[in-house]
Amino acid sequence: MTQQLPPEPPIGPLAASPLFARPSGSGELGTMVIVMAVAWTMIDWLLAAAATLAYGQDTASGTPAWVVAYAFLSGLLVLVALAAYVLTGIWLSRARRNAELIAPGQQRWSNVWVWLCWIVPFIGYYAPKQVVDDVSGSTVRDPGKPGTGWWWGTWIAVNVIGLASYFTSNDLTRGDEAVYHWILAAMTTVAVVFWIRVVRTVSQAQDTLASADAAPS
C-alpha cells in the first residue's frame, strides 16, 4: 500500500489569517522530556549498583545503608517515571495538535489516547508508537531522519525485562535480582538514546515549521 504523503503546511495568506490556528514550538517541552528520560536512566544505574551492594549484605543485625539507599532510589524512580509520563503527555499533546494543523486527518488516535495509550493493557504495546509515528510523519520532512523502530523495539524489551523480573522475583536469588537490575539499566539506556533522537527530531521539525509559519505575519 502506498503511503499518502501529508499535505504541506499552509503558507501565505492562509497562514497569516487570524482564523488559522498556528502551530506552536515544542522544543522546550521536548527538552524537559529528554531531561526526565536521562534522570530515569541514571536512577536505573544507581539502583543496579545499590541492589548489588544491598543484596550482598546480611540484614539480620539491622538495616544496612545500601538497603536504605535501594529503597529510596526505588521510590525516587516512581516519582521520576510519573513526571516523565506527565511531561511526555503534555509534549506529545502539543506535538499532535501541531501535526493536525499541519496535516489534517493524518492522526489515527485522538488526543485522549496520547495519555491513555501508555497505560492501557495490550494497547500500550503498539499504540504509543503509532501516535508518535503519525506526529512524526506529519511534521518531519526529511526522510533521512531516524525513525521510531529502534526506540520502540528497545522500549518493549525494557518492559519485557521488567515484567520477567517481577513475575520471577520469588524464584530469584539476590544475586540474580541484581543481574536483572544491570540488564534493565543497560537496555533502558539504549532505549533512551533512541527516544532522545525521536524527541529532538520531532521538536526541531515542529519548531522550524512554527517559525516559518509565523514569518509572513
Side-chain angles (χ1 to χ4, degrees), residues 85 110-121 123-124 127-128:
Y85 170 76
S110 64
N111 190 61
V112 68
W113 285 104
V114 168
W115 297 88
L116 294 180
C117 67
W118 303 92
I119 57 177
V120 175
I123 290 177

Side-chain angles (χ1 to χ4, degrees), residues 92 108-110 113-135 151-152 156:
L92 200 51
R108 285 172 284 183
W109 296 85
S110 64
W113 285 104
V114 168
W115 297 88
L116 294 180
C117 67
W118 303 92
I119 57 177
V120 175
F122 303 110
I123 290 177
Y125 283 98
Y126 64 91
K129 183 181 185 300
Q130 291 183 346
V131 172
V132 176
D133 280 342
D134 291 346
V135 170
W151 154 63
W152 191 244
I156 290 297

